[in-house]
Each structure stands twice: as structure tokens, then as C-alpha cells.
Amino acid sequence: MKIIITGANGMLGTAIKNALSSHDVYAFSSQELDITCVQRFHKKVAIIQPDYIINCAAYTAVDLAETEEEKAFKINALAVQKMAQIAKQYDATFIHFSTDYVFDGTANKPYVPEQATDPINVYGASKLAGEKAITLIDGKHYIFRISWLYATHGKNFFNWVAGTDMKELSIVNSQTGSPTSALDVARFIHHLIHKDPDNYGIYHFTNQGTMTWYDFAVIINEKLDLGKKINSVATFKTAAQRPSFSVMDCEKTERVFDYNIPSIENGLDEVIAKYNFYNQ
């Protein structure tokens, strides 16, 4: 089985590359293979003839996207559209990752995959445009909306809380979601590759449970025994508006793929074990 991974040096790409190491994996960093360069991507696919194309490349600078709208849409929508077209041309299954930010955050219960989308920032709009492009092409595709991703590698909330020299942190308590370990996403993709049900479409994948960013910081602080003072604040002024509630219902994912998604705490415990191993 031949698998192409784009964005392979990013947080999610690294985790998936490691999880699929027993397969014939062609992993390209964004520097090695720029997904906006359609001709180069097409050439790679034509040569490799992959069974799966897993796109982990994305524009993820949520605040910067407000002033770099064209760049965000070029990477998250236009390039993704071309990738999906090429995947269909070569009969490869296209696996793509989207975001909880396609929702407006006004719900009072977890969002199901079929629920109406209404992004409130440019980043979310660009990711939604990518979703729609893939769906219209109608090749063999899976779109997984993930949220609040973290790992021991890369720039993310967990690494910031764990690694900052600041002894006192002020963290928002007005956003509720599901922090999700990149390791758990990667393990699920490994499961999918081995037991693909050919039930294509849009799914949600997040660690199970809900909490605020403040709650998450408190738990990280306690489990790593950091001794920091964690203060809760109502809001932080940011360029991009964030959904206040972005919990997603993963029942469809668990049912279709016959897979039990770990809880937030179990996901965090595994990441912390790796963090402690690397930093002992």
C-alpha cells in the first residue's frame, strides 16, 4: 500500500507519518512539496500512484488569516480542490482534515457532521471552502473535522503551557471545545487505512469530553506539576473571532469505523508521558 502525506513535518503530519511507518509512505514537508504548486503535486502522484493521499498541509494562522485572506484560501481551498481532482484522476482515496471553526459556536449541544456551517472568521471560511470543493468533486474522500489539536512537537497550546517561563498565565474560560491529541488522530488514521469501510464523506474526530482553554491549562499544570498560577479571563482581544462553543459529536465516526475514540484525559496522559520522556 502506497501513501502520500503532505505537510509531513507539521504537528499532525509528523504523528501520522510515525503511525504509518510500516507502510510504503512518501512523506513530504511543505518545503519539499508545496501543495499550491499543482504541476509538482500532479507529477508526484503520477509517479507514485498512491492508494491514499493524506493532506496534512494547511494554512492555520487563524489571526493572520484576517489580513491574509487570499493566501488562506489559496492553500486551504484552491490547492485542496486541485489535490482532490488529482486524487480522483488516479483513483486514490483522499484524506483531508478540516476544523471546528466551520461552525459559528452558537449551539448548545455538540455539532453533528450534517449540521449547518457558518464560519465567523476567514480561517474557518477557507477551510469550509476546501470541504465544499472536495465534496463537489465526489471522488473517494474522507474529511475529518478536528479541533484544538496538540502534541509534544510543534507550536500548540500544550507546548506553550508546558514550556513557557511565565509563572502566571491568564487563560480564557469563554471558549468550550475538545482538546485533541495528534497521536490519537494518527492512530485512528492507521485504523482507517487497515479497515477502510469505503463510506466516504465528512466526519468529526475529537477526543471525547468538553472543557475550556482555562480548564485545559489547569489540567496540564497539575499533571506536569508545573507550579504555575492559572487565572481565568473572560476574553482576549484577537484579530479573529473564535466560536464560543465548538464541541463536535463523533458518534458517526465511532459507528462507521467501529472505533472507540479516547477521552481528553487519556489523550493528554499519553502526550504527557511522551513529554516527560523527552524532557527527563
Side-chain angles (χ1 to χ4, degrees), residues 119-255:
I120 57 175
N121 57 42
V122 170
Y123 167 71
S126 70
K127 294 295 286 184
L128 179 59
E131 286 186 12
K132 289 180 175 179
I134 295 168
T135 303
L136 286 172
I137 290 162
D138 197 29
K140 298 191 298 186
H141 70 270
Y142 292 109
I143 298 167
F144 294 103
R145 293 177 181 144
I146 55 180
S147 73
W148 296 26
L149 198 69
Y150 69 95
T152 56
H153 53 275
K155 186 179 178 182
N156 60 75
F157 185 80
F158 170 83
N159 271 347
W160 175 69
V161 172
T164 181
D165 291 332
M166 298 168 64
K167 299 301 181 185
E168 187 171 347
L169 306 177
S170 294
I171 311 294
V172 290
N173 62 5
S174 55
Q175 296 169 32
T176 301
S178 303
T180 300
S181 164
L183 300 176
D184 281 325
V185 179
R187 192 175 293 112
F188 168 70
I189 296 301
H190 180 273
H191 172 84
L192 185 158
I193 296 291
H194 282 259
K195 297 183 178 180
D196 191 336
D198 299 334
N199 197 334
Y200 307 117
I202 297 176
Y203 294 87
H204 292 166
F205 187 98
T206 66
N207 280 129
Q208 297 299 279
T210 65
M211 61 179 60
T212 66
W213 284 116
Y214 167 75
D215 297 330
F216 193 37
V218 167
I219 292 175
I220 294 167
N221 187 47
E222 289 175 352
K223 286 182 177 288
L224 285 174
D225 196 22
L226 299 172
K228 298 182 187 295
K229 183 179 180 183
I230 312 292
N231 302 313
S232 65
V233 295
T235 57
F236 261 134
K237 186 170 178 58
T238 55
Q241 188 179 354
R242 265 74 168 171
S244 60
F245 181 89
S246 60
V247 179
M248 297 189 289
D249 187 319
C250 299
E251 183 277 331
K252 178 184 173 185
T253 303
E254 292 192 316
R255 173 172 44 82

